[in-house]
Amino acid sequence: MVVQAWLLSRGLIALVALLLAVYQGRSLVDQVSNWDVQHFSRLAVGGYLSEPNGQLMAFFPGLPFVLGTFARLGVPIWVTGVLLAAVCSALAAAALLRLGGPWAAIGWLFAPTAVFTTVPYTESLFCAAAFWAWERARADKWGAAAALAAVACTVRVSGLFLVGALFVMILTTRSVSWTVRARRTAWLLIPAAVLAAFATYLWTLSGSWTAWYHAQSTGWVRQLTWPWQSFLNTIPAILPGAYADHPWWSAVFRAEMASMALGVLVTVYCLVRRRWAEASWVGVQVLAFSLSYWFFSVNRAILLWFPLWIMLAEWGTWSPRSRPARVVHRTLVVLVGVVMVGGMVFWSWLFFTGHWAS
């Protein structure tokens, strides 16, 4: 089922790209090279100082390193990025299969923003490393979990939240001695050292220990803001006609609001189920997004929230006792599935046509 879902979901996204190539004359290279792919490409070829104002310091080096390595061997960046995304999306789905069953993996593969797991973005690579790190930690294989978390920490700042959530897992695991907890915590020094090394490297380039944050704030308006002010700042962006020249921007911002609400719901769900580590994994990210100037890039972040897909799988496979309730439940499950697939196709169109897609 998961293999079939991987083939079908990737196939639907590819079909959108092919139709745009045929009917609008858009080249496949241009379609998969929009937005942050341009930054990753410049970083892969020219390094962190190849863009003015140090804006490339907002990106972690893991993906650009892979892209640049193969580029020096003559492989086009877009080819490496698409193939890497395909392989890593399969690996991430396999980890989700172990963590939450087949429907969790299938839900993730058909996520509305799944297009970001098919192009040279960080989502597939990070999810593959982070999901397997979590799975290995659950299996008490902390050496492997630490190594995988270290890989995740080279890809995006979410690796910091992953390390924190794994630490919460260590603290909240029952029937474990403090000696064992200390030994497991020691493993987390490996991914923490990766983050420290990256911060040190940026310091050698810029002379600032906050170079990453400065690049985020100057390039993407991510200044520290109180959550309620961030919410208020997002309101004007969701109003009809807010961006007359870019009609889809308001729709994307509305989805950002919905994604934030979904993150809060998942956090509460995990807390109620006493899944403390999972709650911290999602909750800290929701908090971080709420501290930005406005709600931004949350639509892509839902791909990282594996507890969300486990929650949806549990809800989707739940069977009410009464027959009328079962009918209503199954109808809702089908509707959610249709909306997700429709959203995935729509989001693919947004990205491939160059519209802002979060």
Side-chain angles (χ1 to χ4, degrees):
M1 287 173 59
V2 175
V3 172
Q4 292 172 353
W6 183 87
L7 290 170
L8 182 57
S9 60
R10 308 305 95 173
L12 281 174
I13 294 172
L15 179 61
V16 174
L18 288 172
L19 290 174
L20 287 171
V22 171
Y23 290 103
Q24 294 189 9
R26 295 178 181 271
S27 73
L28 295 178
V29 178
D30 290 341
Q31 289 186 59
V32 301
S33 301
N34 288 315
W35 298 100
D36 285 356
V37 179
Q38 298 296 320
H39 298 301
F40 291 134
S41 299
R42 279 190 281 271
L43 181 52
V45 174
Y48 279 102
L49 300 180
S50 57
E51 268 192 10
N53 304 322
Q55 286 192 13
L56 288 178
M57 295 183 188
F59 300 97
F60 277 55
L63 177 60
F65 174 79
V66 176
L67 299 177
T69 299
F70 281 92
R72 285 185 281 275
L73 297 175
V75 182
I77 283 178
W78 74 272
V79 172
T80 301
V82 169
L83 292 178
L84 181 66
V87 172
C88 288
S89 66
L91 292 173
L96 261 177
L97 173 63
R98 291 198 177 194
L99 290 170
W103 288 108
I106 292 169
W108 182 82
L109 287 168
F110 283 97
T113 51
V115 64
F116 291 105
T117 66
T118 65
V119 296
Y121 263 64
T122 59
E123 275 69 19
S124 278
L125 179 56
F126 181 85
C127 287
F131 293 178
W132 275 107
W134 202 273
E135 191 279 337
R136 290 291 77 195
R138 284 294 186 197
D140 198 21
K141 304 296 183 182
W142 283 91
L148 288 161
V151 173
C153 287
T154 70
V155 179
R156 52 191 294 152
V157 72
S158 309
L160 173 63
F161 307 140
L162 175 64
V163 174
L166 289 172
F167 181 61
V168 173
M169 183 191 296
I170 293 171
L171 292 180
T172 56
T173 301
R174 296 180 179 179
S175 304
V176 175
S177 69
W178 283 103
T179 301
V180 173
R181 296 181 201 273
R183 185 165 60 247
R184 292 175 177 175
T185 302
W187 279 113
L188 296 183
L189 294 176
I190 296 174
V194 171
L195 292 169
F198 177 58
T200 302
Y201 176 68
L202 292 185
W203 173 79
T204 63
L205 294 178
S206 65
S208 171
W209 288 106
T210 59
W212 177 86
Y213 172 75
H214 179 72
Q216 286 281 340
S217 61
T218 56
W220 288 268
V221 201
R222 294 192 187 273
Q223 301 97 332
L224 279 175
T225 309
W226 289 111
W228 52 87
Q229 189 59 52
S230 179
F231 173 80
L232 293 175
N233 290 342
T234 311
I235 294 295
I238 71 175
L239 298 177
Y243 298 97
D245 296 334
H246 303 280
W248 292 110
W249 286 15
S250 293
V252 174
F253 268 113
R254 292 184 200 114
E256 301 279 11
M257 291 283 241
S259 295
M260 283 292 285
L262 193 58
V264 173
L265 175 63
V266 174
T267 303
V268 173
Y269 178 82
C270 291
L271 290 173
V272 171
R273 301 297 293 270
R274 297 185 178 182
R275 298 173 184 174
W276 311 119
E278 288 84 347
S280 66
W281 168 238
V282 179
V284 171
Q285 292 181 64
V286 172
L287 176 62
F289 282 117
S290 73
L291 295 176
S292 182
Y293 173 78
W294 49 14
F295 299 162
F296 194 74
S297 299
V298 195
N299 295 325
R300 287 194 288 124
I302 67 170
L303 294 165
L304 281 55
W305 299 345
F306 65 87
L308 163 63
W309 309 107
I310 295 174
M311 181 189 77
L312 285 177
E314 291 174 346
W315 171 75
T317 56
W318 168 64
S319 181
R321 293 183 179 180
S322 67
R323 188 174 184 280
R326 284 197 299 272
V327 172
V328 172
H329 175 259
R330 289 171 186 172
T331 302
L332 289 175
V333 170
V334 171
L335 286 175
V336 169
V338 170
V339 169
M340 287 177 61
V341 174
M344 184 185 73
V345 171
F346 168 71
W347 233 286
S348 300
W349 174 82
L350 272 182
F351 184 88
F352 292 147
T353 53
H355 291 89
W356 178 60
S358 181

